[in-house]
């Protein structure tokens, strides 16, 4: 055997070993483009960036994150819908994806039929917060009595008209059967600032965004808006526990691909997402933010998105929320 042949054989064997060590669902070549229909620093942005390296490792390809905010997520999702169904473009969406068809008169895509669901990855809890000086109550029943005593005399903030935070607030108000004034803001940060300042008295908020203000006493948590208590707020009961079971809403985030994504690519991406969010470092980061991670199957994701869209449609109609 010649030395040249020996060298070629060794190189071939080494390449085969490297290939065998890669994940079975790895895809070489182009990077994975991850579209985020939200701004940098938002909740979903923070979650996806925490998992970026683990997702790259799991898939065996580089991951490039692209923020495309605007129009309640429609701008970014429109880019996803137009992408080639080759497994190299996905988007991480949140509740607004299921809200938008009910609040916008027209949509540039069908939110259920122009995508390929891959997984609903997890959720983030919401909490009802108040300015403790303006709303001096200890629980939901006391708050209901206060609001009923002055119909329309209290202001509820939100992160914007037609957003999931707005819908969460409307769900709360409807359950209490009270009348308030809705004040929309351009984001959760400005809303919380004005609740602290007393310009508005209360609103729904994502737990990570409110944690620091709750710890300082500038805000008070009246109840968790989902089914379970929150690890970082163990003494705050759910609103359902306090006698209002119709209040059941939380943030969620899911990964989708363009319409027509081949089954093999759906499986590859799903396995990669599950592996990434089971990474110990990612799990620790998610727990720190009170995010609950439980990736679903693609079929379960499709069913979930349909149920959520129908649920929000009923809430939007009831609250008479409309956007141009």
């Amino acid at each position: 055997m010649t030395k040249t042949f020996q060298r070629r054989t060794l190189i071939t064997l080494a390449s085969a070993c490297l290939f065998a060590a890669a994940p079975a669902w790895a895809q070489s070549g182009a990077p994975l483009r991850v579209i985020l229909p939200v701004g940098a620093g938002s909740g979903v942005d923070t979650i996806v960036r925490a998992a970026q390296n683990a997702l790259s490792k799991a898939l065996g390809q580089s991951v490039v994150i692209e923020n495309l905010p605007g129009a309640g997520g429609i701008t970014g999702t429109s880019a996803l819908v137009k992408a080639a169904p080759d497994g190299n473009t996905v988007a991480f969406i949140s509740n607004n994806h299921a809200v938008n068809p009910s609040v916008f008169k027209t949509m540039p895509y069908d939110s259920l039929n122009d995508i390929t669901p891959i997984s609903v990855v997890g959720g983030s809890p919401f909490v009802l917060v108040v300015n403790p000086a303006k709303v001096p109550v200890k629980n939901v029943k006391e708050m209901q009595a206060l609001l009923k005593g002055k119909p329309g005399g209290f202001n509820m903030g939100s992160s914007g008209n037609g957003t999931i935070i707005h819908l969460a607030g409307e769900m709360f108000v409807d359950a209490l059967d009270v009348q308030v004034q809705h004040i929309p803001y351009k984001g959760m940060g400005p809303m919380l600032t004005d609740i602290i300042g007393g310009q508005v008295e209360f609103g729904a908020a994502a737990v990570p965004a409110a944690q620091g203000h709750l710890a300082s006493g500038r805000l008070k948590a009246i109840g968790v808006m989902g089914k379970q208590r929150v690890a970082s707020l163990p003494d705050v009961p759910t609103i359902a526990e306090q006698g209002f079971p119709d209040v059941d809403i939380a943030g969620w985030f899911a990964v989708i691909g363009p319409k027509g994504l081949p089954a093999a690519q759906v499986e590859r991406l799903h396995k990669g997402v599950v592996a990434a969010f089971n990474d110990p470092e990612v799990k620790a980061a998610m727990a720190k933010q009170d995010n609950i991670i439980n990736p679903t199957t693609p079929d379960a994701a499709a069913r979930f998105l349909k149920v959520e869209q129908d649920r929000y449609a009923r809430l939007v109609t009831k609250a008479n929320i409309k956007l141009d």
Side-chain angles (χ1 to χ4, degrees), residues 20-171:
W25 56 87
Q27 176 163 305
S28 60
L32 178 69
R33 179 192 182 199
V34 177
I35 296 172
L36 300 185
V38 294
S42 65
V44 173
D45 177 81
T46 302
I47 288 167
V48 177
R49 289 184 187 278
Q52 182 177 7
N53 291 338
L55 184 59
S56 176
K57 181 180 177 181
L59 291 173
Q61 68 183 129
S62 60
V63 173
V64 178
I65 294 175
E66 184 177 354
N67 295 91
L68 292 175
I74 292 176
T75 301
T77 307
S78 293
L80 178 280
V81 168
K82 295 173 184 175
D86 57 8
N88 289 321
T89 303
V90 298
F92 274 79
I93 57 171
S94 57
N95 304 63
N96 282 354
H97 179 85
V99 174
N100 287 337
S102 299
V103 296
F104 286 97
K105 291 180 181 178
T106 59
M107 292 279 290
Y109 53 82
D110 186 312
S111 61
L112 296 177
N113 295 318
D114 288 342
I115 64 166
T116 301
I118 295 169
S119 180
V120 178
V121 182
S124 301
F126 292 159
V127 64
L128 197 287
V129 298
V130 303
N131 178 308
K134 296 280 188 176
V135 186
V137 300
K138 296 178 182 178
N139 53 53
V140 178
K141 289 287 180 67
E142 290 184 4
M143 187 168 177
Q144 182 185 40
L146 182 68
L147 298 179
K148 277 186 173 294
K150 193 177 179 181
F154 289 86
N155 295 321
M156 177 187 75
S158 81
S159 57
N161 197 29
T163 63
I164 189 59
I165 292 297
H166 178 197
L167 265 65
E170 293 289 354
M171 180 180 287

Side-chain angles (χ1 to χ4, degrees), residues 70 79 121 130 143 156 160 179 181-182 189 194 233 253 274 287 296-297:
V121 182
V130 303
M143 187 168 177
M156 177 187 75
Q179 297 178 2
Q181 297 294 324
H182 169 230
D194 271 13
L233 303 170
F253 52 100
V274 172
T296 70
T297 64

Side-chain angles (χ1 to χ4, degrees), residues 228-248:
Q228 301 175 343
R229 293 197 184 196
V230 176
S232 65
L233 303 170
D235 297 327
V236 179
T238 67
I239 292 172
E241 283 181 75
Q242 299 180 60
F244 300 90
D246 290 341
V247 178
D248 178 15

